[in-house]
Amino acid sequence: MLTISQLATYAGVTVRAVRHYHKIGLLPEPARDRSGYRSYDSAAVVRLIRIHTLADAGVPLARVQELLDAAPEQFGDGVQEIDKELRAEIRRLQVSRRRLAMLAAGEQLALPQSVVDYLDRLRREGVSERYLEMERGAWIMIAAQAPEAIDAVIAAKHEQLEDPDTRKLYSLVSEAVDNQGDDALLVEIADLLERLYLRAAEAGQLGDEPFDDQLVELLDAVMLESAPEAARLLAIMEERGWKGWTRIERVPPRDPDTQP
């Protein structure tokens, strides 16, 4: 008869592991003898070695019991099923490793390549990193909530960048983000936005973004939280009869003395 320490040594595990196997029901716990000690026989050694072998092979402890009690044919089927699950887990981990390897690239972690290319184009246009960070946050939202819309939106964005007014808008907004508190610059941006909005309205392009109301609110929140001056710009636009940032709407011009 063996003590728990001797049992653990024979099986190549720790005493703590033996107690854990007792707790979860994998290894029956013998009754105490008259001296208050628990003694283990050879059957306990064999069972503990089988438990340790299966666990060491990668079999989840929750599945060990069924394999221990299985007939030879069922045992083989069970092992094959676990092997299939492990291979699927390995593939998942390999995908995770590839994503982790992309951490050095920063924005590629959560964004498709088309968005990364678009942000790189803005960078080449001279857009500041602070503004790009704001755009990146919005694109992460879109990639997570409306991935099916990415290609169409990106294509439209590239087309808009062919317009000198749009390129100038990015330049001015980038400057405003880096130089907070410049009301004259915000008015200049508002003038340019109004020209672009009028053009979009004439072309029937206002309100055609493929986003639901909740995503529109989230995208607007990203802009407002990232750039405090954005609230002032939106107020100026409402005074002129335009509301929204992601989804633009025509509204009655607001009295500048009225709180939005």
Side-chain angles (χ1 to χ4, degrees), residues 10-11 18 24 27 30-31 54 57 63 91 152 157-158 161 163 177 191 198 201 203 217-218 224 231 239-240 245 247:
Y10 270 108
V18 175
I24 62 177
L27 184 67
L54 289 168
R63 305 288 299 277
R91 289 193 294 271
K157 288 289 187 180
H158 279 294
L161 279 175
D163 179 8
V177 167
D191 291 341
L198 286 170
E217 290 180 9
L218 288 171
L224 289 168
E239 292 169 9
R240 302 183 180 200
W245 182 261
R247 177 182 294 154

Side-chain angles (χ1 to χ4, degrees), residues 4-68:
I4 189 171
S5 297
Q6 291 170 325
L7 172 69
T9 300
Y10 270 108
V13 301
T14 64
V15 171
R16 183 177 180 182
V18 175
R19 290 190 173 122
H20 180 63
Y21 296 150
H22 284 330
K23 184 177 179 181
I24 62 177
L26 281 180
L27 184 67
E29 189 172 11
R32 296 182 184 276
D33 60 21
R34 293 180 180 179
S35 301
Y37 294 102
R38 300 188 191 279
S39 298
Y40 298 84
D41 57 16
S42 59
V45 176
V46 172
R47 186 173 179 87
L48 181 56
I49 290 173
R50 293 183 69 197
I51 292 170
H52 177 54
T53 301
L54 289 168
D56 199 45
V59 176
L61 289 180
R63 305 288 299 277
V64 167
Q65 182 71 58
E66 66 180 81
L67 292 182
L68 288 173

Side-chain angles (χ1 to χ4, degrees), residues 11-247:
V13 301
T14 64
V15 171
R16 183 177 180 182
V18 175
R19 290 190 173 122
H20 180 63
Y21 296 150
H22 284 330
K23 184 177 179 181
I24 62 177
L26 281 180
L27 184 67
E29 189 172 11
R32 296 182 184 276
D33 60 21
R34 293 180 180 179
S35 301
Y37 294 102
R38 300 188 191 279
S39 298
Y40 298 84
D41 57 16
S42 59
V45 176
V46 172
R47 186 173 179 87
L48 181 56
I49 290 173
R50 293 183 69 197
I51 292 170
H52 177 54
T53 301
L54 289 168
D56 199 45
V59 176
L61 289 180
R63 305 288 299 277
V64 167
Q65 182 71 58
E66 66 180 81
L67 292 182
L68 288 173
D69 299 337
E73 183 178 343
Q74 294 172 327
F75 182 89
D77 292 341
V79 169
Q80 288 181 3
E81 182 181 348
I82 292 170
D83 179 64
K84 180 180 178 181
E85 293 170 359
L86 288 174
R87 282 186 277 115
E89 179 66 9
I90 288 170
R91 289 193 294 271
R92 186 190 68 79
L93 292 172
Q94 288 172 334
V95 171
S96 295
R97 288 194 65 203
R98 287 195 293 270
R99 289 178 176 172
L100 287 172
M102 294 167 66
L103 274 172
E107 44 200 39
Q108 287 188 351
L109 179 64
L111 293 174
Q113 188 61 46
S114 59
V115 176
V116 175
D117 292 342
Y118 170 70
L119 293 175
D120 283 341
R121 182 177 179 184
L122 291 183
R123 192 174 283 111
R124 291 193 300 272
E125 293 286 344
V127 174
S128 73
E129 288 300 324
R130 185 162 179 265
Y131 179 80
L132 286 174
E133 184 63 30
M134 184 172 69
E135 278 256 344
R136 188 179 298 111
W139 283 111
I140 288 173
M141 289 274 194
I142 296 171
Q145 299 297 321
E148 71 286 348
I150 288 283
D151 290 344
V153 175
I154 282 292
K157 288 289 187 180
H158 279 294
E159 184 177 348
Q160 291 168 7
L161 279 175
E162 299 300 321
D163 179 8
D165 279 346
T166 300
R167 292 199 297 273
K168 183 178 180 181
L169 175 64
Y170 271 109
S171 176
L172 292 176
V173 171
S174 177
E175 184 180 349
V177 167
D178 289 341
N179 300 279
Q180 300 177 22
D182 189 338
D183 274 3
L185 183 56
L186 293 181
V187 170
E188 186 178 359
I189 293 172
D191 291 341
L192 184 52
L193 276 176
E194 189 165 20
R195 185 159 69 247
L196 290 170
Y197 290 171
L198 286 170
R199 194 185 307 165
E202 291 171 359
Q205 295 172 340
L206 284 185
D208 62 351
E209 76 293 325
F211 307 137
D212 60 33
D213 293 345
Q214 184 178 33
L215 182 54
V216 167
E217 290 180 9
L218 288 171
L219 293 173
D220 284 356
V222 168
M223 186 268 296
L224 289 168
E225 292 167 8
S226 303
E229 60 277 7
R232 172 59 183 144
L233 177 59
L234 289 180
I236 294 173
M237 296 308 297
E238 282 199 48
E239 292 169 9
R240 302 183 180 200
W242 302 96
K243 182 180 180 180
W245 182 261
T246 305
R247 177 182 294 154

